[in-house]
Amino acid sequence: MDKFDTLRSALWMHRLEKRSIFTGCAWRKNWTHARGGVIPKEPSEPLFGHAFKLFGQEFRNGELHLMAQLSNGEHIGNRGIFYFPREVVNRDFTFGAYMFVDMPVEEAKFLNEK
């Protein structure tokens, strides 16, 4: 299993809770204006580190991509959404990945009372 499939399986395992993955990578020059938000496989010059959330998967151009939402607003990508192919995820996602999980409400109330 590669990094791409590991991220996909974590999203699938927690789909009922609608959890996202917080990650990032060195943003590349040719990604910001990628047509339709589909990230090209060919690397270009890395510009800066950028964090974003992964929240789903979708087929684009006949290939499965991970869907990422950035903090830059809706004026880039596909209304702020970018689609990362397997090759790019496996090559460029080097900043680690995190999934935040909240404590159940009942347990939080119990602990708060103590």
Side-chain angles (χ1 to χ4, degrees), residues 25-80:
C25 66
W27 194 260
R28 295 188 179 269
K29 190 174 185 176
N30 62 339
W31 292 357
T32 301
H33 301 291
R35 185 183 305 264
V38 178
I39 299 297
K41 295 177 186 175
E42 304 79 26
S44 68
E45 175 186 350
L47 297 175
F48 49 82
H50 198 2
F52 44 86
K53 78 168 193 168
L54 299 175
F55 67 95
Q57 57 188 336
E58 189 171 297
F59 279 95
R60 291 285 169 148
N61 303 325
E63 292 184 55
L64 195 57
H65 289 66
L66 292 179
M67 299 170 67
Q69 183 175 20
L70 282 63
S71 59
N72 301 67
E74 294 185 353
H75 63 282
I76 60 172
N78 180 11
R79 299 184 63 173

Side-chain angles (χ1 to χ4, degrees), residues 87-98:
E87 293 85 351
V88 172
V89 170
N90 290 333
R91 179 188 67 220
D92 292 325
F93 282 35
T94 59
F95 288 11
Y98 309 90

Side-chain angles (χ1 to χ4, degrees), residues 19 100-112:
R19 294 198 183 135
F100 298 105
V101 180
D102 288 334
M103 180 183 297
V105 175
E106 297 78 22
E107 186 176 348
K109 285 180 182 178
F110 172 79
L111 291 173
N112 195 31

